[in-house]
Amino acid sequence: APFRSQNDVPRVEVVVCYCSERLSWLRAFHKLPWRDEDRSQAVRQYVGLRFYHKCGGMNKRAREEERKRLVDEWAPYFQMVEVRYVDDVLRADDDSAYLAYIVDRYHSLPEFTVFLHADAPEHIASLELLMDTVFAAVRNYLPGDLGFLHFAHNYVLHELGCHDNKDCEA
């Protein structure tokens, strides 16, 4: 059934690896400026937002102020907002943030997770495609066995020609 969620757990979680980038584009999850459709209710009810903060060098007070600022700014837009600091001695980057999320949530992952850079519009050719896909997941329109879906256009080598080519399989 559309808009179903169990135990108030977000159906979709958006995980943003963040340092200090501008995040205004996140408002597009509610309404794209060139469309009449407003998805605010569904996003507030079924989409969680988790920031994995990768900027080091912040003291405890600065972290708490930053956490409060992010939660206060984005809580009206999403079902839940959480900020977690990634303190990895070796590296604190996108990969370690996403891995930290998987480790943190391994036994309680939502139906769908979207991993994004904080500067997502620079990596994704169409924010509209991203927003539509998240909304489709919220409405139960995506297959449960979807697996991995890649949105970043600038890292996919489309010319490899791997469709039905056994040499491309891992």
Side-chain angles (χ1 to χ4, degrees):
F3 300 108
R4 175 182 44 84
S5 187
Q6 297 174 2
N7 303 325
D8 294 325
V9 173
R11 165 171 304 205
V12 179
E13 285 192 348
V14 175
V15 178
V16 178
C17 184
Y18 172 77
C19 185
S20 61
E21 299 87 353
R22 291 187 58 192
L23 298 168
S24 57
W25 60 270
L26 285 169
R27 289 183 180 89
F29 280 106
H30 280 238
K31 187 172 186 322
L32 291 163
W34 53 89
R35 283 192 181 167
D36 292 331
E37 182 181 22
D38 185 343
R39 299 172 174 178
S40 300
Q41 180 181 353
V43 172
R44 278 189 207 107
Q45 196 166 1
Y46 299 104
V47 180
L49 176 63
R50 293 182 187 269
F51 292 106
Y52 274 66
H53 205 297
K54 63 181 180 177
C55 285
M58 297 174 79
N59 64 37
K60 189 174 181 178
R61 182 176 179 208
R63 284 180 175 210
E64 199 48 48
E65 288 173 2
E66 175 76 343
R67 179 189 324 274
K68 182 178 180 347
R69 183 188 68 76
L70 288 167
V71 170
D72 289 350
E73 181 175 356
W74 295 105
Y77 291 89
F78 294 89
Q79 180 190 22
M80 53 76 58
V81 177
E82 181 180 278
V83 179
R84 185 212 195 269
Y85 287 86
V86 179
D87 294 313
D88 192 320
V89 190
L90 299 176
R91 60 192 278 182
D93 61 4
D94 304 346
D95 297 331
S96 57
Y98 302 148
L99 182 59
Y101 169 83
I102 293 169
V103 169
D104 290 349
R105 306 275 298 147
Y106 188 76
H107 295 291
S108 59
L109 290 167
E111 291 178 57
F112 297 97
T113 304
V114 179
F115 295 100
L116 298 170
H117 293 127
D119 60 349
E122 294 180 27
H123 300 274
I124 299 172
S126 169
L127 277 181
E128 191 167 9
L129 174 61
L130 170 65
M131 303 310 163
D132 286 347
T133 303
V134 168
F135 192 61
V138 165
R139 305 237 12 231
N140 253 1
Y141 293 153
L142 294 182
D145 61 351
L146 180 64
F148 181 78
L149 182 61
H150 203 287
F151 288 110
H153 64 90
N154 52 346
Y155 296 109
V156 178
L157 302 176
H158 297 283
E159 69 275 3
L160 282 179
C162 288
H163 182 69
D164 293 331
N165 183 345
K166 300 253 186 244
D167 295 334
C168 293
E169 296 178 2

